[in-house]
Amino acid sequence: MYLVVIGWMYVVLMMSAAEASSSNGTVLGALVTFLLYGVGPVILVVYLMGAPARNKAIKKREAEARASHRAAAGLNADQAGVSAVEPDAGSHAAGGSEAIASDASIAPVGKKP
């Protein structure tokens, strides 16, 4: 990737030199050419191409933080994914009428106990 950046900056430098040395060109025009054709786009491309590496570094830092938090809490790697509360494996909504029907002290809606 950096080879393309170096090549593009060379082309832009030559464009700027041609602008500055031509009879109709100015040094200010050469500077504007260098900034708008060279530095601006190169900064943008390098930033966009570096996004995957930045995301990977962020995920690595988050994983290390999670591991240190688990180590501070006294959990092993085996216990880290295991929850103390088992998930509801039934096909019904959690806290549905089955939970109410099993508790005799709670009357159904509209019924007296």
Side-chain angles (χ1 to χ4, degrees), residues 60-77:
K60 183 179 178 183
R61 279 196 309 261
E62 288 175 352
E64 289 172 356
R66 267 188 254 113
S68 65
H69 179 69
R70 287 181 187 141
L75 296 175
N76 295 347

Side-chain angles (χ1 to χ4, degrees), residues 25-112:
T26 62
V27 175
L28 180 62
L31 183 64
V32 169
T33 299
F34 186 73
L35 291 176
L36 294 182
Y37 282 115
V39 175
V42 164
I43 288 174
L44 180 66
V45 166
V46 169
Y47 177 76
L48 292 176
M49 296 300 281
R54 284 192 307 275
N55 289 339
K56 189 175 182 181
I58 289 170
K59 288 180 183 178
K60 183 179 178 183
R61 279 196 309 261
E62 288 175 352
E64 289 172 356
R66 267 188 254 113
S68 65
H69 179 69
R70 287 181 187 141
L75 296 175
N76 295 347
D78 304 345
Q79 298 170 339
V82 178
S83 174
V85 178
E86 291 297 322
D88 184 18
S91 60
H92 301 287
S97 62
E98 295 82 17
I100 294 173
S102 65
D103 190 3
S105 64
I106 301 174
V109 177
K111 306 279 183 176
K112 294 192 179 192

Side-chain angles (χ1 to χ4, degrees), residues 9-34:
M9 289 306 292
Y10 175 76
V11 168
V12 171
L13 183 66
M14 291 297 114
M15 288 171 54
S16 298
E19 175 82 23
S21 64
S22 78
S23 60
N24 292 340
T26 62
V27 175
L28 180 62
L31 183 64
V32 169
T33 299
F34 186 73

